[in-house]
Structure formats: C-alpha cells, structure tokens
C-alpha cells in the first residue's frame, strides 16, 4: 500500500521517540516509540514499520508491526504481513489471512470522528 497524495511520510531509515499529534494522514515505514494521536485521520504502518506506541486514530492499516494499545473511531485493518500486539478498540475490524494479532478486540460498532 502506497501513501496517499498529501500524506506525511516517515521513511524506513527514520527513528522517532516521543509524541506525534496531527490532523492529517500519516504513513510510517520507520521506527516509532511513544504515542501517536491523529484525531479524525488514518495511520498507515508500512511493511518496514516497527511501532511501539499507544495509538489514537480514526483508521489504522497495519502492514508492518504495531506493539501497543490501539483506539480507532473507525476501522482497524491488519493486512497479510501485519502484526499487532496490544488491545484494540474500534468500530470495525478486519484481518487478512497470515496476519497476526495478540490482544483483546473490542468492537464498538459506532463509527465516529476521533
């Protein structure tokens, strides 16, 4: 999956520790440790992503690795190569064959802008 036009991109050679707050789509293919808050927007973790973070987003797409709790007001989508370790709270959830998830999944059924 490629980043959408106009997305902010964190490349695979970038490492970041701290808190990320934003109001636009973010594509991560590097390493992040901390907290990610993208209220009302989508976070895409590319195939090289290694994220150890608490995540608060509208939608999350995982092709790499996410370790930490996820709160999504929309959809969490774990693709074939994706790994998610942590509890998930989301309105909708999908997982492709060969992806892996370890944690509790709570589906709210109520999509909103977060």
């Amino acid at each position: 999956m490629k980043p959408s036009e106009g997305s902010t991109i964190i490349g695979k050679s970038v490492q970041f520790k701290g808190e990320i707050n934003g109001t636009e789509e973010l594509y991560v293919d590097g390493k992040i440790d901390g907290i990610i808050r993208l209220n009302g927007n989508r976070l895409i973790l590319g195939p090289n992503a290694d994220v150890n973070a608490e995540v608060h987003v509208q939608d999350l797409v995982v092709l790499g690795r996410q370790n930490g709790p996820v709160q999504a007001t929309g959809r969490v989508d774990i693709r074939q190569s994706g790994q998610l370790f942590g509890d998930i709270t989301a309105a909708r959830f999908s997982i492709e064959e060969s992806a892996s998830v370890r944690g509790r999944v709570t589906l709210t059924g109520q999509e909103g802008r977060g």
Side-chain angles (χ1 to χ4, degrees):
M1 171 175 234
K2 300 268 186 201
S4 300
E5 188 173 324
S7 294
T8 299
I9 299 170
I10 295 178
K12 63 183 175 181
S13 68
V14 177
Q15 295 183 19
F16 179 86
K17 289 184 180 184
E19 189 169 328
I20 296 175
N21 293 294
T23 56
E24 60 189 64
E25 183 175 287
L26 177 63
Y27 181 94
V28 175
D29 215 20
K31 181 171 176 54
I32 294 180
D33 292 306
I35 299 172
I36 301 172
R37 287 190 182 93
L38 301 176
N39 294 337
N41 287 283
R42 179 167 65 164
L43 172 62
I44 301 168
L45 303 181
N48 300 301
D50 184 8
V51 176
N52 294 295
E54 179 181 320
V55 173
H56 302 269
V57 294
Q58 179 174 350
D59 298 313
L60 174 65
V61 178
V62 180
L63 292 96
R65 180 184 169 97
Q66 159 63 22
N67 185 26
V70 172
Q71 288 195 331
T73 57
R75 178 186 189 103
V76 172
D77 186 10
I78 314 300
R79 299 290 172 90
Q80 188 172 11
S81 60
Q83 299 177 326
L84 197 154
F85 304 105
D87 293 341
I88 301 164
T89 302
R92 296 178 294 148
F93 177 75
S94 69
I95 183 169
E96 290 184 356
E97 190 173 331
S98 299
S100 58
V101 173
R102 187 178 306 141
R104 289 184 307 209
V105 177
T106 303
L107 297 178
T108 64
Q110 299 176 348
E111 191 160 347
R113 301 205 41 98

